[in-house]
Amino acid sequence: KDVCDLPLTWFAGRAVLLDVPDAGAATAIGPEYLQQAIGDIIRGGDIVICRNSDRSAPEKPCFTPAGARWLAPYNIKMLGIDNNFRLGKDVEDGRALHDILQSRDVCLVEFLDHLEELTQRVFFFMALPWRVKQMDSSWARAIAIETR
């Protein structure tokens, strides 16, 4: 599928923040970490935004294929990561993770900036892609809105 096949509502909605405050202790983001970090707030159809708050760690945390499988029952719409987060520890894991998520129409939003400004665990998020046929990626304008 390409972004033209998905409804506009797929690119906006309720989002939950997966924050990694200690990247040295959480290099692999799998089911256990996800359950502890967002298990109490994630709902079906959510968007998951991943932030690495520990930029001093020698390694970036990486989302694992097992973590992607943990998300599957929630039918998330998007998975977003900041510049200090990886999708898989290596190319093989990255491809597996992409395959798991994209087979469920999960859009990946990479290289998000300014996530350190988020103060709430639940917020509204949208990333509107450029409408491109026959491509699985596109530029997008990403916006997070928190309630006051």
Side-chain angles (χ1 to χ4, degrees), residues 69-114:
R69 285 189 289 278
W70 184 89
L71 290 172
Y74 294 102
N75 295 315
I76 66 168
K77 297 191 277 189
M78 286 191 271
L79 176 68
I81 61 169
D82 69 13
N83 296 320
N84 297 291
F85 221 98
R86 295 182 310 163
L87 294 174
K89 69 177 188 292
D90 53 30
V91 172
E92 186 177 312
D93 265 11
R95 285 187 183 144
L97 187 137
H98 276 78
D99 290 347
I100 292 163
L101 294 175
Q102 290 183 328
S103 71
R104 303 185 69 81
D105 295 334
V106 175
C107 295
L108 302 173
V109 185
E110 301 179 61
F111 309 112
L112 291 168
D113 285 325
H114 307 293

Side-chain angles (χ1 to χ4, degrees), residues 1-125:
K1 283 188 177 180
D2 57 44
V3 296
C4 297
D5 295 323
L6 298 170
L8 193 56
T9 55
W10 201 254
F11 303 104
R14 182 181 186 270
V16 297
L17 178 64
L18 170 66
D19 186 38
V20 178
D22 183 1
T27 55
I29 306 301
E32 299 82 18
Y33 194 91
L34 291 166
Q35 181 61 45
Q36 179 184 4
I38 61 172
D40 62 327
I41 58 172
I42 191 169
R43 298 192 310 211
D46 275 350
I47 296 165
V48 177
I49 302 298
C50 306
R51 172 179 72 191
N52 176 10
S53 294
D54 182 9
R55 302 203 174 168
S56 65
E59 286 194 44
K60 297 176 182 179
C62 66
F63 217 92
T64 65
R69 285 189 289 278
W70 184 89
L71 290 172
Y74 294 102
N75 295 315
I76 66 168
K77 297 191 277 189
M78 286 191 271
L79 176 68
I81 61 169
D82 69 13
N83 296 320
N84 297 291
F85 221 98
R86 295 182 310 163
L87 294 174
K89 69 177 188 292
D90 53 30
V91 172
E92 186 177 312
D93 265 11
R95 285 187 183 144
L97 187 137
H98 276 78
D99 290 347
I100 292 163
L101 294 175
Q102 290 183 328
S103 71
R104 303 185 69 81
D105 295 334
V106 175
C107 295
L108 302 173
V109 185
E110 301 179 61
F111 309 112
L112 291 168
D113 285 325
H114 307 293
L115 294 184
E116 69 279 358
E117 295 179 25
L118 291 173
T119 61
Q120 298 173 10
R121 294 178 67 209
V122 178
F123 51 94
F124 180 84
F125 181 83

